[in-house]
Amino acid sequence: MLLGKTIIVTGANCGIGKATVTELLRRQGRVIMACRDRDRAEKAAQEIQQEAGPDRGELVIKLLDLASLKSVRSFCEEILKEEQRIDVLINNAGIYQCPYTKTEDGYEMQFAVNHLGHFLLTNLLLDLLKRSAPSRIIVVSSKLYKYSDINFDDLNSEQSYDKAFAYSRSKLANLLFTLELSHKLEKTGVTVNALTPGIVRTNLGRHVYIPMLVKPLFNLLSWAFFKSPEQGAETSIYLACSPDVEGVQGKCFANCQEEQLLEKATDEEVAKKLWDISEVMVGLTD
């Protein structure tokens, strides 16, 4: 049970995030839904509270647009002003294979939302997480990280853009971020671990074109072979709650078990370089 614990979940109004919040609330946690759209968040919150049952924890909605560094900073200022502690931060939100778009800060959308926004969010909340120790940071990545690499000469995809590669790269960045952050958190009482949820039935693929004639078959197959959002959320819940992972640092999990990563996701030199560049991109350097 999570009575007395405060948990932040990004991308909490749908899919894996919504299922994660529902279960955390059912376990009597105090959950902060960090969402971009207040109307959708409030609608989701009603459904979550109903599903979580009468003995649920407290649910709070806060606005957070990870595509805007200004929004990330405003969100963190509000959290630091109002919250005494954060026990778990779940970096769950993501955007998948969208057309080439730049954020208001001038960054490619998938890299900005999936990596840079969460990078800034986590860094700005680190001191509070340390004061709340033992606390946990959970980073939702994807097995699709395998199909990319980090091209430091074109992080913003201005020379070329492939939406599938850009998504995979942002998920590789999540794993490299987890690796470097785990070193920085040694002996702080804060742990960080990543997870790959598998193929889940969510609206994450809304930007992927599926021909009308194929859609009924695709929908049928997805129900047969894809995980439900509740199944997709199981590893997030495990990493947030289980005593089995207390003190575990810098690992990646799938189906509630440690997962072996490819060398590209455990490259210390690339992880350090990406961290340093990300600091500059989000304005964390002095």
Side-chain angles (χ1 to χ4, degrees), residues 81-224:
K81 189 164 66 176
E82 297 178 2
E83 300 298 327
Q84 296 299 309
R85 61 184 299 111
I86 302 171
D87 297 280
V88 185
L89 169 63
I90 304 180
N91 290 338
N92 166 83
I95 188 167
Y96 179 71
Q97 292 199 20
C98 62
Y100 187 76
T101 319
K102 282 187 176 180
T103 66
E104 64 184 39
D105 303 292
Y107 299 131
E108 186 274 313
M109 184 64 72
Q110 294 190 83
F111 191 70
V113 170
N114 299 351
H115 171 61
L116 291 176
H118 282 124
F119 179 88
L120 179 60
L121 174 74
T122 306
N123 273 284
L124 293 179
L125 296 178
L126 264 188
D127 283 345
L128 182 54
L129 282 156
K130 288 175 183 176
R131 292 199 299 273
S132 309
S135 53
R136 303 180 182 188
I137 299 166
I138 298 159
V139 179
V140 180
S141 181
S142 165
K143 283 182 169 57
L144 293 176
Y145 83 88
K146 298 174 182 178
Y147 305 107
S148 69
D149 52 45
I150 304 293
N151 178 5
F152 288 108
D153 294 326
D154 193 26
L155 276 182
N156 216 29
S157 300
E158 291 178 332
Q159 296 170 21
S160 65
Y161 180 72
D162 178 284
K163 62 185 183 180
F165 177 87
Y167 177 77
S168 298
R169 183 186 58 181
S170 72
K171 296 289 101 179
L172 175 57
N174 291 157
L175 295 173
L176 293 166
F177 164 66
T178 301
L179 175 64
E180 182 63 18
L181 180 58
S182 70
H183 298 322
K184 295 179 182 296
L185 290 177
E186 285 177 10
K187 299 179 181 175
T188 63
V190 185
T191 60
V192 60
N193 291 288
L195 68 101
T196 59
I199 305 174
V200 183
R201 292 191 303 271
T202 70
N203 69 348
L204 189 64
R206 62 190 177 275
H207 294 294
V208 178
Y209 173 71
I210 300 169
M212 288 299 293
L213 289 173
V214 181
K215 264 191 177 174
L217 177 61
F218 177 82
N219 290 338
L220 185 66
L221 288 172
S222 73
W223 278 100

